[in-house]
Structure formats: structure tokens, C-alpha cells
Amino acid sequence: MIVMSIAGVDPSGGAGVFADLKTFQAIGVYGTGIVTALTAQNPYKFFSTLPISENYISEQIDSVLDAYDVEFIKTGMLYSPEIIKLVSKKIKEYNLKAVVDPVMVATSGGDLTREDLAKAMNKYLLPNSILTTPNIAEAEKLTDLKINTKEDAIKASEKIICDNIITGGHLDGINTININDEITIKKQELIKTDNLHGTGCNLSSAIVAYLAKNNDLHTSILKALDYVYEGIKNGNHGTLIAKL
Ligand code: PXL
């Protein structure tokens, strides 16, 4: 049960690889972490990004997969179309089952990507992935559709080219899940808080952890939604002791 996150580093630990590792630990799987970029940020302010070269990302992935059998991975901040292409190639090469958090902009407004990544994700990454977990803004970018209602979210979900959950934090808590072209709506109560930094990272890493523990995709998504909800409610997402 070894899983992998391929994402950026948020040194304040709420998002990115560090948060993913905490979630893996909380749910009881062994996490490995490949770094695509360093960032300087805290939950309130984003300062800067230092991307890692494609060669060095490649070397990190190879060095871990040379020693460990990994079936499930998640991807977070991938920063550039070149890194997206590289990661897609590795997914195929190592036969990985990838959950893609299509990170494009930070809640704090920081520079998590150099350019519009939606095209590269649609072309290279999503066709090779088992699930993607966009929020409303990311789903709009992936599909070129506007999402204001539940019906809009369902349309977008049907247009995204792999199984997906469009998260409903900006749509009255309405999460739209599409697995094998079957739509399930899962509504969650919205919690009033200013501590939402990293919730997307935690959702996708929790899904991967539950998958690695032999839950099916639908069950993993529902358990991960629960995990993130409890984390937000308690103000401690990522360090939560999960229901296993
Ligand atoms: O939640 C998006 C995200 C992903 N990865 C890193 C981040 C953030 C948001 O701040 O910092 C490294």
C-alpha cells in the first residue's frame, strides 16, 4: 500500500506534497512525494514559485518507482505543459492509476501555473487517468462551459474526458460525481470558515489513500469527501485521524 503524490511544496503545510503526505498517513497508507515546484507561501499570501526541471522530476519518479511498487498516485500542481507531458508519459510507462487534481490557480491567488494548462491536461493527462477532481473554476477551464447551476455542473461533468468529481464548494455544496457516465449528486453542508487552503489537495490524496486500501472508486470518493468535511469542520484538515 504505497502511494505517490506528484505536486508542489507549500512550506506552510496546508496544501501540496506535505499536506498529501499527512493525509496518506492519517488514512494509513505509506506516502511518497515527488516535487514539481517549490513555493513560498502561507495560507493568506503567495510569494513566489521555483519550478523543478523536467529532468529532475523524472529522476525523482524513477528513483522511487525503481524501489517501490506503486499502483495509485495523485497529481497536484504540475506548473507547465512540459511537466504535464512528462507525468503523462510516466503514468503510461509505469502503468499507474492516477487521480488528477487539475490545479490551475491557488485560492490565495498565487502563481501555481505558468500558463493555461487546461489544453495540455485534456490532451495528455486526463485520457490516461482514472479520475479528476476539479472545482467549479477548474471544471469551467477544462470544458469551456460556464457553471452556475447543478444542471451546468452535470453538463460539464459529462464533457470531461475521464471519470470525475466536480467539487461543490462554490456551488452550494453540490458535488457532481460521474463514474462510467453515471451521475451521482452528493450534497454537503457548507461550513463557514476562512480555513479552506489545501482542501482540494486533501480530497484527491484521500481518494488515492482509500483506493489503495481496496475501496472502489465510488466508495473512495464518498469516504474522502467525509474526511475533508470533518477536517474543515475541526479546522485541522490533513492532520485528522481518519475513519479507516
Ligand atoms: O490547492 C492548490 C494548490 C496545490 N499545490 C500547491 C499549492 C496549492 C494552493 O495553494 O500551494 C503547492
mmCIF file of all heavy atoms in Angstrom, residues 76-112:
data_model
loop_
_atom_site.group_PDB
_atom_site.id
_atom_site.type_symbol
_atom_site.label_atom_id
_atom_site.label_comp_id
_atom_site.label_asym_id
_atom_site.label_seq_id
_atom_site.Cartn_x
_atom_site.Cartn_y
_atom_site.Cartn_z
ATOM 1 N N GLY A 76 -0.941 16.980 -8.379
ATOM 2 C CA GLY A 76 -1.443 18.294 -7.973
ATOM 3 C C GLY A 76 -0.864 19.351 -8.891
ATOM 4 O O GLY A 76 -1.009 19.270 -10.115
ATOM 5 N N MET A 77 -0.134 20.285 -8.298
ATOM 6 C CA MET A 77 0.446 21.383 -9.088
ATOM 7 C C MET A 77 1.505 20.845 -10.051
ATOM 8 O O MET A 77 2.540 20.347 -9.637
ATOM 9 C CB MET A 77 1.095 22.366 -8.104
ATOM 10 C CG MET A 77 1.876 23.473 -8.727
ATOM 11 S SD MET A 77 2.758 24.379 -7.421
ATOM 12 C CE MET A 77 3.511 25.668 -8.389
ATOM 13 N N LEU A 78 1.240 20.969 -11.347
ATOM 14 C CA LEU A 78 2.197 20.470 -12.344
ATOM 15 C C LEU A 78 2.875 21.603 -13.107
ATOM 16 O O LEU A 78 3.796 21.376 -13.882
ATOM 17 C CB LEU A 78 1.509 19.493 -13.302
ATOM 18 C CG LEU A 78 0.973 18.207 -12.660
ATOM 19 C CD1 LEU A 78 0.287 17.328 -13.686
ATOM 20 C CD2 LEU A 78 2.080 17.425 -11.961
ATOM 21 N N TYR A 79 2.399 22.783 -12.946
ATOM 22 C CA TYR A 79 3.051 24.040 -13.345
ATOM 23 C C TYR A 79 3.145 24.346 -14.832
ATOM 24 O O TYR A 79 2.919 25.453 -15.255
ATOM 25 C CB TYR A 79 4.453 24.144 -12.712
ATOM 26 C CG TYR A 79 5.042 25.519 -12.871
ATOM 27 C CD1 TYR A 79 4.497 26.609 -12.195
ATOM 28 C CD2 TYR A 79 6.115 25.761 -13.725
ATOM 29 C CE1 TYR A 79 5.003 27.886 -12.356
ATOM 30 C CE2 TYR A 79 6.628 27.042 -13.889
ATOM 31 C CZ TYR A 79 6.074 28.088 -13.202
ATOM 32 O OH TYR A 79 6.567 29.341 -13.362
ATOM 33 N N SER A 80 3.519 23.380 -15.664
ATOM 34 C CA SER A 80 3.721 23.712 -17.086
ATOM 35 C C SER A 80 3.254 22.566 -17.983
ATOM 36 O O SER A 80 3.187 21.417 -17.542
ATOM 37 C CB SER A 80 5.211 23.969 -17.365
ATOM 38 O OG SER A 80 5.920 22.746 -17.271
ATOM 39 N N PRO A 81 2.973 22.851 -19.261
ATOM 40 C CA PRO A 81 2.587 21.781 -20.192
ATOM 41 C C PRO A 81 3.686 20.718 -20.310
ATOM 42 O O PRO A 81 3.390 19.535 -20.473
ATOM 43 C CB PRO A 81 2.407 22.511 -21.531
ATOM 44 C CG PRO A 81 2.133 23.919 -21.174
ATOM 45 C CD PRO A 81 2.880 24.187 -19.902
ATOM 46 N N GLU A 82 4.949 21.142 -20.200
ATOM 47 C CA GLU A 82 6.055 20.176 -20.319
ATOM 48 C C GLU A 82 6.007 19.174 -19.163
ATOM 49 O O GLU A 82 6.226 17.972 -19.356
ATOM 50 C CB GLU A 82 7.409 20.898 -20.315
ATOM 51 C CG GLU A 82 7.689 21.731 -21.555
ATOM 52 C CD GLU A 82 6.898 23.042 -21.618
ATOM 53 O OE1 GLU A 82 6.522 23.564 -20.540
ATOM 54 O OE2 GLU A 82 6.641 23.538 -22.721
ATOM 55 N N ILE A 83 5.742 19.667 -17.962
ATOM 56 C CA ILE A 83 5.674 18.758 -16.802
ATOM 57 C C ILE A 83 4.452 17.847 -16.938
ATOM 58 O O ILE A 83 4.509 16.654 -16.632
ATOM 59 C CB ILE A 83 5.664 19.549 -15.469
ATOM 60 C CG1 ILE A 83 6.968 20.352 -15.327
ATOM 61 C CG2 ILE A 83 5.502 18.598 -14.280
ATOM 62 C CD1 ILE A 83 7.058 21.223 -14.087
ATOM 63 N N ILE A 84 3.346 18.381 -17.439
ATOM 64 C CA ILE A 84 2.146 17.556 -17.668
ATOM 65 C C ILE A 84 2.470 16.412 -18.632
ATOM 66 O O ILE A 84 2.106 15.260 -18.391
ATOM 67 C CB ILE A 84 0.990 18.421 -18.214
ATOM 68 C CG1 ILE A 84 0.463 19.325 -17.108
ATOM 69 C CG2 ILE A 84 -0.135 17.544 -18.791
ATOM 70 C CD1 ILE A 84 -0.617 20.285 -17.534
ATOM 71 N N LYS A 85 3.190 16.742 -19.713
ATOM 72 C CA LYS A 85 3.562 15.701 -20.691
ATOM 73 C C LYS A 85 4.443 14.637 -20.055
ATOM 74 O O LYS A 85 4.252 13.440 -20.259
ATOM 75 C CB LYS A 85 4.337 16.331 -21.856
ATOM 76 C CG LYS A 85 3.434 16.740 -23.000
ATOM 77 C CD LYS A 85 4.262 17.106 -24.223
ATOM 78 C CE LYS A 85 3.725 18.393 -24.812
ATOM 79 N NZ LYS A 85 4.515 18.935 -25.905
ATOM 80 N N LEU A 86 5.425 15.081 -19.284
ATOM 81 C CA LEU A 86 6.336 14.145 -18.628
ATOM 82 C C LEU A 86 5.563 13.209 -17.702
ATOM 83 O O LEU A 86 5.753 11.977 -17.721
ATOM 84 C CB LEU A 86 7.398 14.919 -17.824
ATOM 85 C CG LEU A 86 8.170 14.067 -16.827
ATOM 86 C CD1 LEU A 86 9.158 13.169 -17.562
ATOM 87 C CD2 LEU A 86 8.885 14.914 -15.795
ATOM 88 N N VAL A 87 4.695 13.774 -16.874
ATOM 89 C CA VAL A 87 3.962 12.957 -15.903
ATOM 90 C C VAL A 87 3.038 11.979 -16.636
ATOM 91 O O VAL A 87 2.918 10.806 -16.248
ATOM 92 C CB VAL A 87 3.181 13.859 -14.911
ATOM 93 C CG1 VAL A 87 2.218 13.054 -14.059
ATOM 94 C CG2 VAL A 87 4.168 14.627 -14.022
ATOM 95 N N SER A 88 2.423 12.418 -17.732
ATOM 96 C CA SER A 88 1.556 11.518 -18.506
ATOM 97 C C SER A 88 2.365 10.339 -19.036
ATOM 98 O O SER A 88 1.910 9.189 -19.033
ATOM 99 C CB SER A 88 0.920 12.257 -19.688
ATOM 100 O OG SER A 88 0.334 13.455 -19.261
ATOM 101 N N LYS A 89 3.585 10.640 -19.490
ATOM 102 C CA LYS A 89 4.464 9.585 -20.007
ATOM 103 C C LYS A 89 4.801 8.570 -18.908
ATOM 104 O O LYS A 89 4.789 7.355 -19.131
ATOM 105 C CB LYS A 89 5.749 10.240 -20.545
ATOM 106 C CG LYS A 89 6.474 9.412 -21.566
ATOM 107 C CD LYS A 89 7.687 10.139 -22.125
ATOM 108 C CE LYS A 89 8.926 9.637 -21.425
ATOM 109 N NZ LYS A 89 10.104 10.489 -21.515
ATOM 110 N N LYS A 90 5.076 9.079 -17.711
ATOM 111 C CA LYS A 90 5.430 8.185 -16.590
ATOM 112 C C LYS A 90 4.234 7.334 -16.171
ATOM 113 O O LYS A 90 4.390 6.179 -15.774
ATOM 114 C CB LYS A 90 5.934 9.007 -15.398
ATOM 115 C CG LYS A 90 7.252 9.709 -15.650
ATOM 116 C CD LYS A 90 8.386 8.701 -15.802
ATOM 117 C CE LYS A 90 9.685 9.388 -16.144
ATOM 118 N NZ LYS A 90 10.718 8.434 -16.585
ATOM 119 N N ILE A 91 3.044 7.908 -16.219
ATOM 120 C CA ILE A 91 1.830 7.160 -15.863
ATOM 121 C C ILE A 91 1.700 5.948 -16.774
ATOM 122 O O ILE A 91 1.414 4.831 -16.334
ATOM 123 C CB ILE A 91 0.581 8.077 -15.962
ATOM 124 C CG1 ILE A 91 0.575 9.087 -14.803
ATOM 125 C CG2 ILE A 91 -0.709 7.253 -15.963
ATOM 126 C CD1 ILE A 91 -0.488 10.171 -14.929
ATOM 127 N N LYS A 92 1.958 6.165 -18.075
ATOM 128 C CA LYS A 92 1.860 5.053 -19.031
ATOM 129 C C LYS A 92 2.997 4.056 -18.816
ATOM 130 O O LYS A 92 2.789 2.858 -18.778
ATOM 131 C CB LYS A 92 1.899 5.596 -20.465
ATOM 132 C CG LYS A 92 0.535 6.111 -20.908
ATOM 133 C CD LYS A 92 0.507 6.444 -22.388
ATOM 134 C CE LYS A 92 1.056 7.821 -22.623
ATOM 135 N NZ LYS A 92 0.949 8.289 -23.999
ATOM 136 N N GLU A 93 4.211 4.607 -18.681
ATOM 137 C CA GLU A 93 5.397 3.755 -18.550
ATOM 138 C C GLU A 93 5.273 2.805 -17.363
ATOM 139 O O GLU A 93 5.624 1.631 -17.456
ATOM 140 C CB GLU A 93 6.631 4.666 -18.388
ATOM 141 C CG GLU A 93 7.947 3.930 -18.320
ATOM 142 C CD GLU A 93 9.121 4.897 -18.099
ATOM 143 O OE1 GLU A 93 8.982 6.095 -18.420
ATOM 144 O OE2 GLU A 93 10.155 4.437 -17.575
ATOM 145 N N TYR A 94 4.777 3.313 -16.228
ATOM 146 C CA TYR A 94 4.722 2.507 -15.006
ATOM 147 C C TYR A 94 3.324 1.947 -14.731
ATOM 148 O O TYR A 94 3.079 1.391 -13.662
ATOM 149 C CB TYR A 94 5.189 3.337 -13.805
ATOM 150 C CG TYR A 94 6.682 3.609 -13.802
ATOM 151 C CD1 TYR A 94 7.175 4.848 -14.198
ATOM 152 C CD2 TYR A 94 7.587 2.632 -13.380
ATOM 153 C CE1 TYR A 94 8.547 5.115 -14.190
ATOM 154 C CE2 TYR A 94 8.952 2.892 -13.354
ATOM 155 C CZ TYR A 94 9.427 4.130 -13.764
ATOM 156 O OH TYR A 94 10.781 4.388 -13.746
ATOM 157 N N ASN A 95 2.401 2.164 -15.686
ATOM 158 C CA ASN A 95 1.063 1.618 -15.517
ATOM 159 C C ASN A 95 0.388 2.098 -14.230
ATOM 160 O O ASN A 95 -0.166 1.306 -13.471
ATOM 161 C CB ASN A 95 1.185 0.094 -15.466
ATOM 162 C CG ASN A 95 0.094 -0.546 -16.270
ATOM 163 O OD1 ASN A 95 -0.826 0.156 -16.721
ATOM 164 N ND2 ASN A 95 0.165 -1.849 -16.444
ATOM 165 N N LEU A 96 0.463 3.394 -13.973
ATOM 166 C CA LEU A 96 -0.046 3.960 -12.719
ATOM 167 C C LEU A 96 -1.513 4.324 -12.868
ATOM 168 O O LEU A 96 -1.964 4.695 -13.954
ATOM 169 C CB LEU A 96 0.759 5.215 -12.352
ATOM 170 C CG LEU A 96 2.265 4.990 -12.201
ATOM 171 C CD1 LEU A 96 3.007 6.339 -12.163
ATOM 172 C CD2 LEU A 96 2.557 4.192 -10.932
ATOM 173 N N LYS A 97 -2.249 4.222 -11.775
ATOM 174 C CA LYS A 97 -3.650 4.673 -11.769
ATOM 175 C C LYS A 97 -3.661 6.061 -11.121
ATOM 176 O O LYS A 97 -3.403 6.188 -9.920
ATOM 177 C CB LYS A 97 -4.522 3.701 -10.995
ATOM 178 C CG LYS A 97 -4.545 2.321 -11.646
ATOM 179 C CD LYS A 97 -5.604 1.411 -11.033
ATOM 180 C CE LYS A 97 -5.640 0.066 -11.721
ATOM 181 N NZ LYS A 97 -5.111 -1.021 -10.893
ATOM 182 N N ALA A 98 -3.957 7.069 -11.916
ATOM 183 C CA ALA A 98 -3.756 8.447 -11.454
ATOM 184 C C ALA A 98 -5.065 9.179 -11.187
ATOM 185 O O ALA A 98 -5.987 9.152 -11.994
ATOM 186 C CB ALA A 98 -2.948 9.215 -12.496
ATOM 187 N N VAL A 99 -5.107 9.825 -10.020
ATOM 188 C CA VAL A 99 -6.183 10.766 -9.687
ATOM 189 C C VAL A 99 -5.606 12.163 -9.873
ATOM 190 O O VAL A 99 -4.606 12.510 -9.241
ATOM 191 C CB VAL A 99 -6.656 10.571 -8.230
ATOM 192 C CG1 VAL A 99 -7.668 11.649 -7.840
ATOM 193 C CG2 VAL A 99 -7.247 9.170 -8.044
ATOM 194 N N VAL A 100 -6.232 12.935 -10.757
ATOM 195 C CA VAL A 100 -5.665 14.234 -11.130
ATOM 196 C C VAL A 100 -6.454 15.374 -10.496
ATOM 197 O O VAL A 100 -7.640 15.541 -10.770
ATOM 198 C CB VAL A 100 -5.688 14.407 -12.667
ATOM 199 C CG1 VAL A 100 -5.282 15.824 -13.062
ATOM 200 C CG2 VAL A 100 -4.767 13.385 -13.324
ATOM 201 N N ASP A 101 -5.783 16.113 -9.613
ATOM 202 C CA ASP A 101 -6.349 17.373 -9.129
ATOM 203 C C ASP A 101 -5.847 18.432 -10.115
ATOM 204 O O ASP A 101 -4.660 18.757 -10.112
ATOM 205 C CB ASP A 101 -5.831 17.648 -7.703
ATOM 206 C CG ASP A 101 -6.346 18.964 -7.158
ATOM 207 O OD1 ASP A 101 -7.183 19.609 -7.817
ATOM 208 O OD2 ASP A 101 -5.896 19.348 -6.061
ATOM 209 N N PRO A 102 -6.728 18.953 -10.990
ATOM 210 C CA PRO A 102 -6.235 19.813 -12.077
ATOM 211 C C PRO A 102 -5.950 21.228 -11.597
ATOM 212 O O PRO A 102 -6.623 22.182 -11.980
ATOM 213 C CB PRO A 102 -7.383 19.769 -13.087
ATOM 214 C CG PRO A 102 -8.598 19.572 -12.257
ATOM 215 C CD PRO A 102 -8.188 18.776 -11.044
ATOM 216 N N VAL A 103 -4.933 21.340 -10.758
ATOM 217 C CA VAL A 103 -4.593 22.615 -10.119
ATOM 218 C C VAL A 103 -4.226 23.660 -11.159
ATOM 219 O O VAL A 103 -3.344 23.443 -11.981
ATOM 220 C CB VAL A 103 -3.391 22.417 -9.176
ATOM 221 C CG1 VAL A 103 -2.922 23.752 -8.624
ATOM 222 C CG2 VAL A 103 -3.736 21.458 -8.063
ATOM 223 N N MET A 104 -4.915 24.784 -11.123
ATOM 224 C CA MET A 104 -4.564 25.869 -12.046
ATOM 225 C C MET A 104 -4.337 27.192 -11.325
ATOM 226 O O MET A 104 -3.398 27.899 -11.633
ATOM 227 C CB MET A 104 -5.616 25.981 -13.143
ATOM 228 C CG MET A 104 -5.621 24.703 -14.001
ATOM 229 S SD MET A 104 -6.632 24.757 -15.468
ATOM 230 C CE MET A 104 -7.681 23.351 -15.266
ATOM 231 N N VAL A 105 -5.196 27.522 -10.361
ATOM 232 C CA VAL A 105 -4.960 28.750 -9.585
ATOM 233 C C VAL A 105 -5.093 28.456 -8.095
ATOM 234 O O VAL A 105 -5.887 27.608 -7.700
ATOM 235 C CB VAL A 105 -5.953 29.884 -9.938
ATOM 236 C CG1 VAL A 105 -5.573 30.592 -11.198
ATOM 237 C CG2 VAL A 105 -7.369 29.353 -10.016
ATOM 238 N N ALA A 106 -4.322 29.140 -7.277
ATOM 239 C CA ALA A 106 -4.415 28.962 -5.830
ATOM 240 C C ALA A 106 -5.547 29.806 -5.285
ATOM 241 O O ALA A 106 -5.862 30.871 -5.821
ATOM 242 C CB ALA A 106 -3.118 29.364 -5.160
ATOM 243 N N THR A 107 -6.155 29.325 -4.215
ATOM 244 C CA THR A 107 -7.181 30.110 -3.523
ATOM 245 C C THR A 107 -6.591 31.466 -3.136
ATOM 246 O O THR A 107 -7.253 32.492 -3.184
ATOM 247 C CB THR A 107 -7.622 29.365 -2.239
ATOM 248 O OG1 THR A 107 -7.653 27.973 -2.533
ATOM 249 C CG2 THR A 107 -8.980 29.827 -1.772
ATOM 250 N N SER A 108 -5.314 31.468 -2.784
ATOM 251 C CA SER A 108 -4.657 32.707 -2.369
ATOM 252 C C SER A 108 -4.235 33.553 -3.575
ATOM 253 O O SER A 108 -3.609 34.593 -3.424
ATOM 254 C CB SER A 108 -3.435 32.387 -1.510
ATOM 255 O OG SER A 108 -2.577 31.506 -2.207
ATOM 256 N N GLY A 109 -4.552 33.086 -4.803
ATOM 257 C CA GLY A 109 -4.280 33.889 -5.996
ATOM 258 C C GLY A 109 -2.857 33.779 -6.512
ATOM 259 O O GLY A 109 -2.415 34.570 -7.330
ATOM 260 N N GLY A 110 -2.134 32.776 -6.048
ATOM 261 C CA GLY A 110 -0.715 32.682 -6.413
ATOM 262 C C GLY A 110 -0.458 32.088 -7.786
ATOM 263 O O GLY A 110 -1.360 31.590 -8.448
ATOM 264 N N ASP A 111 0.772 32.142 -8.186
ATOM 265 C CA ASP A 111 1.224 31.703 -9.497
ATOM 266 C C ASP A 111 1.545 30.216 -9.470
ATOM 267 O O ASP A 111 2.688 29.810 -9.363
ATOM 268 C CB ASP A 111 2.477 32.528 -9.845
ATOM 269 C CG ASP A 111 3.164 32.015 -11.088
ATOM 270 O OD1 ASP A 111 2.484 31.439 -11.947
ATOM 271 O OD2 ASP A 111 4.385 32.219 -11.190
ATOM 272 N N LEU A 112 0.516 29.385 -9.554
ATOM 273 C CA LEU A 112 0.735 27.944 -9.498
ATOM 274 C C LEU A 112 0.963 27.360 -10.881
ATOM 275 O O LEU A 112 1.372 26.219 -11.024
ATOM 276 C CB LEU A 112 -0.465 27.245 -8.855
ATOM 277 C CG LEU A 112 -0.667 27.512 -7.365
ATOM 278 C CD1 LEU A 112 -1.897 26.801 -6.874
ATOM 279 C CD2 LEU A 112 0.534 27.083 -6.550
#
